[in-house]
Amino acid sequence: MTELQGEYVPSTADWVREQVAAFEASNGAEANVLERDGNPIILITNRGAKTGAIRKTPLMRVERDGRYLAVASVGGGDKNPAWVANFRAYPDMVLQDGGTKKAYVARELSGAEREEWWDYAVKTWPTYGEYQPKTSRIFPLFLLEPV
Ligand SMILES: C[C@H](OP(=O)(O)OC[C@@H](O)[C@@H](O)[C@@H](O)Cn1c2nc(=O)[nH]c(=O)c-2cc2ccc(O)cc21)C(=O)N[C@@H](CCC(=O)N[C@@H](CCC(=O)O)C(=O)O)C(=O)O
């Protein structure tokens, strides 16, 4: 399964919607980095917790041994992004990294495992370490493992 069935409802954030469109139109060959710093991104297709709609969520690429970490940072804002509810409700999703699209299942991390992956995320993209102190919200982390 490398497609989720259902109606795609794009992000309400223009820059995200546009990045998703350019990434998909080029099969991951373009729009595959964060504009402002050139760090690689991945694209996750997930299902809306309330609407059941197909949602597409670009995130920074934090990968190790074929597993990916989703960091719900949203720039250090005080509210979880909606996709946290989606991942909790529907953990089966599709992740595209460059031209490779595969099925993954997401598992929310806690305790020592969460800390270990958080350290790895900050090493991979140090901006996460700048975002976390901006809020008392602890960023939910999800580990995506291939199905
Ligand atoms: C903008 C909003 O999206 P969101 O799910 O809150 O996620 C906000 C952001 O995290 C999301 O836009 C990310 O892609 C932003 N983002 C990153 N966001 C991060 O949190 N971490 C990252 O590392 C990250 C990197 C990144 C790189 C490139 C890029 O273009 C964007 C990047 C949105 O689309 N809202 C919609 C739909 C929300 C939704 O999924 N609703 C669910 C219900 C959810 C619920 O039950 O609460 C449904 O359809 O049923 C709406 O309000 O109508």
Side-chain angles (χ1 to χ4, degrees), residues 12 15 19 48-51 55 58 60 71 73-74 82-83 86 128:
T12 50
W15 67 286
Q19 176 147 28
K50 291 192 184 91
T51 62
R55 301 296 190 171
M60 298 319 292
V71 178
S73 50
V74 272
W83 60 262
N86 301 348
Y128 283 135

Side-chain angles (χ1 to χ4, degrees), residues 9-13 15-16 19-20 33-34 41 46-53 55-60 71-75 80-86 125 128:
V9 177
S11 168
T12 50
W15 67 286
V16 175
Q19 176 147 28
V20 169
V33 296
L34 186 69
I41 65 141
N46 58 111
R47 186 174 299 286
K50 291 192 184 91
T51 62
R55 301 296 190 171
K56 299 188 180 191
T57 308
L59 297 175
M60 298 319 292
V71 178
S73 50
V74 272
N80 278 339
W83 60 262
V84 167
N86 301 348
W125 195 54
Y128 283 135

Side-chain angles (χ1 to χ4, degrees), residues 105-118:
V105 61
R107 172 169 62 86
E108 192 162 1
L109 297 184
S110 61
E113 186 182 25
R114 183 195 180 286
E115 292 320 303
E116 201 277 324
W117 273 97
W118 170 247

Side-chain angles (χ1 to χ4, degrees), residues 1-61:
M1 178 275 292
T2 54
E3 291 300 331
L4 286 188
Q5 298 312 314
E7 183 209 355
Y8 168 42
V9 177
S11 168
T12 50
D14 291 350
W15 67 286
V16 175
R17 190 172 54 246
E18 285 152 21
Q19 176 147 28
V20 169
F23 181 94
E24 292 203 306
S26 66
N27 189 31
E30 284 160 33
N32 52 23
V33 296
L34 186 69
E35 190 80 16
R36 69 169 183 271
D37 67 11
N39 280 281
I41 65 141
I42 46 97
L43 180 63
I44 295 176
T45 301
N46 58 111
R47 186 174 299 286
K50 291 192 184 91
T51 62
I54 298 300
R55 301 296 190 171
K56 299 188 180 191
T57 308
L59 297 175
M60 298 319 292
R61 183 181 187 279

